[in-house]
Structure formats: structure tokens, C-alpha cells
Amino acid sequence: MSLNAVGDPQQADLLLSLDSGSDIVSWINNLLQRDADHPSDLVSLEKHLNHIIPTLEVASEDLSLHIERLIDEISRSASRLPYDLHFMRDGALSVQIALNNLTTRSSSFSPQSSATLDRLHSLDVIKKNMELARDVLREAESWSTLESEVSSLLSEQNYEKAAEKLSEANKSMVVFQNTPEYEARRALMVSLQNQLEASLSTALIAAINSHDVTLCRNYYSIFANIQRDLEFRAYYFGSRRSSLVSMWQDAKLADIGVSSSVVDGQSTSDFLNSFFTSFLTVLSSERASISAIFPDPQLTLSTFITSTLSALEPTFTERLSALYTHYGPAVLPEFITIFQATERFAVAADKILERTEASSALFSPPSDSASLESTSMSHRRRSSHARLSISRRMSLSASIPGTFQLTGSGLGWDTAVLEPFLEYQVTYGVLETKFLSSSLPESSPQVDPARELRERTLDVFSLAEESLSRMHAFTHGYGAAVLVSSLDDFLTTFIDASRVSFAPSTPAPVASVMTGSDAEDLADLDYTLEDYSTIQAWLHLLESLRGVRGRLSVFESQLRGTLLQTSTAFRARAQDPRTSVPGTTRGALLLLSESTLNTLPLQDLLDSIHLPDGRLPGQDSVHVPVASPILAKAHAALDVGANFVQASLQAAMLSPLQKSLTNYASSPLWTSSGQAPRRTGGAGATSDAAVPTFSLSPSEAMQHAAEGLLNLPRLFEVYADDDVFAFSIETLPHVDVALLESLAEPASAEPPPMHARRASTTRPMPSAAPTSALTPEAIASVWLSSLGLSFIEHVTQNVLPSIGSLTTAGAAQLGSDLSYLGNIVSALSVESQELSRWIEVISMDDEAGKATAVEVDGADSILNTIARMRGWTLT
């Protein structure tokens, strides 16, 4: 008994011990003493016996069955044993007799026997050669009468017999290979085949036109016998596609050419829908006929599709080119519509081909050919899987290495159908850029440029969002990289054009939004109603730019999601090339994958949009570094635009202060040669006593401008509730990065960001903390600091260098003005090294200034300017 059937190892050990035991009583006692914890415990013994008894019963039954099988086998073998022994005895006797005969013949062998064997071999060779010569003579005799026999059969309309004669003669052509008669016989064979084809052509065309499947099948066998099956297919395809070719040629299209003469014609897309519908109708009707006529119906049907499209005049490519000429930059949606119609046709035709494969065995004609029989058997085997899904059939076929894929588009016919679009698919980026540019409506002149920017922003991002679906429809994701580039350029051009439209002049003033109390609070400032309106206009533009940034962020998220879906689909197809894409065929994907769209930048782009390692899908993005922006140039252009509007807004805020310094450079104070006036004491009488000398008072113009700086915080109080100042604060002119970081530190008490090693992938920002963490007070402080630096820049670069000359007293007055200005800006937390340098140099006397100027040798521009003003001659 085999122990392999015993599932429990303990039962196997039990049976092995039983097999080795000699005394059954001692075996039972040893078993009970070994396995029972307490041999005297009857309950445990009973449980153990209950376990052992069934095991023994099962083993006994198995042993009984095994013994019965052995008995049956022995009984069957015993009856054959006498016959086997008798057969062996007869065989031994035959061998003995043969050996005796061989011994007798070998004893009588003489030296002449070898020559006799050689003679027999020579005779055998001669016999074979004579037989070959006889066959050649028969073939020659048949060729001598071939023409007359075939002509006689053709006159009798016995085409089948004539085809057989020609087939047999064609097989013997190899006999005349490399002989002078080969070309003559070959020309005769072609001539006779042509005669047979010409005799059959009229009847064949009639049979094809009348849809007589039986006659067509017979004629096909005749053409196949004379190696003219391609000519038969040409006859058949030409008849079946005639209606489609006529429909294509007679189409009256309204969108072909630059200026079409067809006024009431239909569009190309509408015509193609009806054309492909008629094409599918022909394919459906021909599926049964082709399956009954041809031995390879699926391949024949796919060849019919490609040959029909090749026979169209003008060609599909020429129609697309004419369409491109007609629509110009706006052609992309038309191309997509036509491409989708063609894809729908390819998918529908693909399904017809698969049904043809599944049902070809039902319509295949009976044939004695072994190849056709094997083909029929393979079709029958496949028809048993007809209910399987397409992907399942594809996996079954692809699992056998070296087999030819015979499922639908696996034949490659769909590449020929969709190839005319490839020329435009590889230039999708150019087409998309032209379409976006042409679709954006022209800007309408409006009084409010901020409103115009908001309206155009809606149009721009609506077009951008539609481009995502266009990319997928036309390139199935392979145009993602060129789409990103096109969108980046499109949005950058829009933002730059908007910024340029603001540049020529200040925006038209808008109605002031200040309440009466605000106007009363600011009544003592130098701002006019026009100034407030200008400030408000630039604020509205800054708010509109913030809206652009918000729409850009939302759209970039949509773009990232689309790219992620594309990357996932690409990875799935890379892991399993048999993965299908709904709505298209494998041929379309094959063309795109082998085109110039499938480049390394595309792969890098798709790889870059995946989530960072270790990040969970639902994890808060605050703790994960933000990925690099996809539309980097658009973000950069938006930063430039925000900086321009911020600088213009600052110019509007500083305009009254700058106006107060309009005549500052031409003030007579700078050329005054008198002693510096001393401060009066007591009741206003001038004291002649020696009293301490006080510093000069600032000039009225500088004092007025500096006080205007001190009033700027009051201006910000009016807009305290408007958070537009927080937008793109990092692009403010002269922004202090250290100040931004220090102001954001109290709001950044959060857990440290995860994956700090990826910080290089984040978008570079001047501030390490998000600007949204800044409080309104901090935002106002940053703006006041930027305003102060902008005003100092205006003073030091535009106002002070315009001073023609400085006397000693004028220099002292200028030093007093600049020191006063420095104290004022310090109150606004502003420090300017340039202003400090002006104060330092202007306070030098003539000797120290000249010495310092000679020492720096023209390297200090501020020192050179002051030296020119004070007339220091450098030797």
C-alpha cells in the first residue's frame, strides 16, 4: 500500500509501525503507552482508540482495493503469458534459421562476389537515371501538346481541366531551369494563362456582379491553380468598391480649397460620416461572401479595405491638405472631427473582421487540400471561444510565441487607414498654437482695463481647458509634451500682451471707492481725487492679475491630472502591450508610438508628474514640497506682469512726493555762498555770544516729501481690508527677502516639511515661507519698506544727479536734507546703503573728498557725481 495517499503524517507513522511490528498485541500496548499521557486514564485511551480505529479501517479498505487491483492485473496478464511465450519461441526459431542461412551463404562467399555487388549497384544507378530520363521525355512530350490541349479545353469551356493542365505544366518548369528552353516555355505558360484569364474574365465579372458565390468560388479555384489569385482579387475588389469610389469622386464639398465654388455642398466631416457608413455596410454584406469564396477571409477583407482607400481619387491625403488650406489656423477641430470619424470606422471594421474570423469556418468551402483543412480546423477551434472578450482572445493568441496575430487590427490594415493623419499629428503643437492664437477674440477697447483683463482671462483659460480634450482626441496622449509647450507659450504671450497694453500710459481713472470718513481722514494729504482714482485703477489691475494667477493654478492642476492619467495609461501599455484603448485601434497607437511625438522629453514630463515617494494620496500638501510648475514661462511672465503693476502702483502712491521734488535740483540753496544761518534763540534776537552750533534744518521741499513718506501708513489703513497687497508680494520692487522671512516666522510654527531633499524641485521663491502666512500688518510693513526704497532710488538716481553744482553751504544743506530723509525712512524700517553713501560723501570737506576721489580712481559713481557738483579737480 502506498503511503502517499495518507494526508496526516501521524497516520503514516502509525501504519509504518504496524508494518514493522510482528506481534499485534504488543504493538497495540506499545502504541497506547506511547501516545497516551496517562495509560491508566480510560477516557484518554478511549479517545485515542477512536482516532486509531478509523485510521485502521481506512487503511484496511485501501489495502483491500489495492489487492483487488493487483489480482485483476495478474488475472489479465496470466491469460496472455502463454501467447507471449509462444511468440518469443517462434521469434527465436526464426532468428536461428536466419543465422544458419547466413552462415551457410557466407561460407560459400568467393572473391568474385564483390564484383557482382558493384555491378548490381551500377545497374541500380542506371535504372534510376533511365527513370528520370523517361520522366523528362514525358514532360517534354506533354509540353509539345500543351498548347493544343489547353486551346481545345478553352474552346470547350472546360476551364477547370485547362487550369489543372496548366498547373501540372507549371510544376515541371523547374526541370527546364537553367536551360535554353526555359524562357520559351515560360512565355508559353504566361500566354496560355492569359488566354484562360481572358476567356474567364467576362463570366467572372458577371458572376461577381450577380453575387453568385458558388461560381465565384469555382472561378477562384481556377485562378489559384494558374497562380492568378491576385488578379481574381483585383476583379472582385474592383467590382465591390465601385460604388464607394464613385461616391468619393462625386462628393460636393463646401470646405475644400481656399474659395470653394460649391455653395450648397456639405462639409468634409459630414461627407466622411456618410461615406464610412456606406463603407461599413459594404463590409458587412461582403463578410459572408468573402468567407465563402476565399480561404483567408479576414486577410482578404482587410486587403479590400486598404485597396479601396488606395483607389480613391483624390486621395485621402489630398483631401486633408485641401482642408488645411481652406480652414488655415482654425483647421484643428475639423481634423479632430474627421480623425475621430475615421477611428470609429476603423473600430467598427475591426469588429467586422473579428466576426469574420469567428465565422469563417462556417462558410469555408469543402476542400481536399490539407492546408485548407487545417485552416478550417483552426477556425473551428477559435469559434469555440467566440464568446470570449476581445482582450481575452488577444491574450490567448499572444501567449503562443511565434504565432501570427489574427485578431482584428493585428493584421496591420488600420495603419494604412489612419496614416494620412500622421503628418498633422506630429505637428500637433504647431496646429494647437495657431488655433489658440486665432481663437482668442480681439481685445475690445474698454474704459476699465482690469475688467478687460478679467474677461479675456476667462476666454484664454476656456480655450486652454478645451485643448486638453483635443490633445487626447488627436494624439491619445502622445502630444502631451508639445501641448504643454504650446500652452506655456500661449499663456505667456497673453500675459505679456496684457502687460504691454498697460505700459503706454496709466490706466484710466476709475470712480473712487473711498467712503466719506476715509476722504476726510486723508484730506490733509497731497493726494488729489485723480491720484486716488489712479491708485484704485492699479489696484484693480493687481486684483485681476491675482485672478489670472488663481486660474493658472487651477488649470495647472487640471493639466497635471490629465498628464497623470496619460502616464498611467502609458505605463499600463508598457507592462502589457496587448492593453487596448477604447475608441481606437492598435494601429493608431503604433503609428503614434513610432512617430516623433514619442520623445524623451515626453517621457521625462510624464515621469515628473507622479507623486513624490512616500506621499500618501490624501496627505496634506502643506507638508510636502510643491512640485515644479508645469507652465514655468507663464508663471515667470505673470511675475513680471505683477512686478510691473506693483511698480506702477508704487509710482502712483509716490507721485505727490516725487512732484514735490520736481524743482529740487534747481533750488538756489545749492549755489548759496553765505554762511550757514544759525538757529535763533530766545525771543528771536540773534545772539552774538558763543553758543553751540546746531545742525541745519531740512529744506522745505525735502521736509514736505519726507512727511509724505510718514503719511503713507495712513494711506494703507484705507485698504486694510483689501488683501490684494498680499498677492505676489515677493515680486515687489526692492523687496527684502530677510524681512519677508522674519515676518513669516511666527506663522510658520508647523511640523517640518517632509522630503526636504526634494526642495530643489520646488518653484524658487524669494521667501521660504508662503506669503499667505503674512498678517495684514506685515504686508503693510513690506509695502512701506518697498515704497521707501523706491522713493530713495528716485531721489538718488533721478533727483540728486540733476544738481548742477554745490557750494560748501549747499553741500551742508544737502547733507542736512539727506540725513533728515534717512531718519524718516529708518522709521519705516528702511535701510539704504546708497543713501548712506551719499550722506557720507556729501559731508566730506574739499580736501578729504579730493583725497578719497583720487584713492578710488573713478570706481565710486556717487563720489564722482558729488565731485562734479563740488568742482573737485582730480589730479
Side-chain angles (χ1 to χ4, degrees), residues 383-404:
S383 66
S384 64
H385 300 284
R387 290 184 295 273
L388 293 178
S389 63
I390 296 175
S391 60
R392 176 59 177 164
R393 285 199 297 272
M394 291 164 61
S395 65
L396 288 175
S397 177
S399 63
I400 305 175
T403 58
F404 184 67

Side-chain angles (χ1 to χ4, degrees), residues 467-581:
S467 68
L468 301 182
S469 59
R470 288 195 295 269
M471 182 269 295
H472 265 293
F474 200 48
T475 67
H476 295 292
Y478 285 96
V482 293
L483 173 65
V484 169
S485 178
S486 298
L487 288 174
D488 207 5
D489 293 340
F490 172 62
L491 295 175
T492 300
T493 302
F494 161 68
I495 295 172
D496 289 342
S498 300
R499 175 177 55 83
V500 171
S501 66
F502 307 151
S505 60
T506 304
V510 298
S512 177
V513 296
M514 290 193 302
T515 61
S517 58
D518 293 333
E520 292 178 1
D521 293 339
L522 302 178
D524 57 331
L525 301 183
D526 295 333
Y527 294 96
T528 64
L529 183 61
E530 183 179 354
D531 292 333
Y532 289 124
S533 298
T534 303
I535 292 173
Q536 193 68 34
W538 285 113
L539 281 175
H540 287 172
L541 279 176
L542 192 61
E543 175 68 26
S544 298
L545 283 179
R546 183 171 66 169
V548 175
R549 173 66 59 82
R551 290 301 302 268
L552 179 60
S553 300
V554 171
F555 172 71
E556 202 167 37
S557 298
Q558 296 176 353
L559 178 59
R560 191 178 298 275
T562 300
L563 294 177
L564 184 59
Q565 293 176 358
T566 302
S567 177
T568 303
F570 277 30
R571 289 169 183 263
R573 289 201 295 271
Q575 294 175 359
D576 185 4
R578 296 165 300 185
T579 302
S580 60
V581 177

Side-chain angles (χ1 to χ4, degrees), residues 502 505-507 510 527 530-545 640-658 712 715-716 719 722-729 731-733 779 783-784 786-788 790-791:
F502 307 151
S505 60
T506 304
V510 298
Y527 294 96
E530 183 179 354
D531 292 333
Y532 289 124
S533 298
T534 303
I535 292 173
Q536 193 68 34
W538 285 113
L539 281 175
H540 287 172
L541 279 176
L542 192 61
E543 175 68 26
S544 298
L545 283 179
V640 173
N643 175 263
F644 171 77
V645 175
Q646 289 167 337
S648 302
L649 177 58
Q650 287 189 351
M653 290 181 172
L654 297 175
S655 177
L657 283 66
Q658 295 173 356
L712 286 177
L715 184 64
F716 273 88
Y719 306 101
D722 195 345
D723 60 349
V724 69
F725 288 102
F727 165 65
S728 192
I729 197 171
T731 61
L732 271 175
I779 294 172
W783 267 85
L784 290 174
S786 177
L787 285 167
S790 297
F791 182 73

Side-chain angles (χ1 to χ4, degrees), residues 329 433-446 448-449 451-460 463 490 493-494 497-498 501:
T433 301
K434 291 181 178 180
F435 177 73
L436 290 173
S437 301
S438 64
S439 300
L440 184 64
E442 296 292 336
S443 58
S444 57
Q446 293 188 9
D448 186 1
R451 179 179 178 181
E452 179 185 356
L453 177 60
R454 289 193 298 269
E455 293 176 353
R456 288 177 62 81
T457 299
L458 295 177
D459 297 334
V460 166
L463 289 172
F490 172 62
T493 302
F494 161 68
S498 300
S501 66

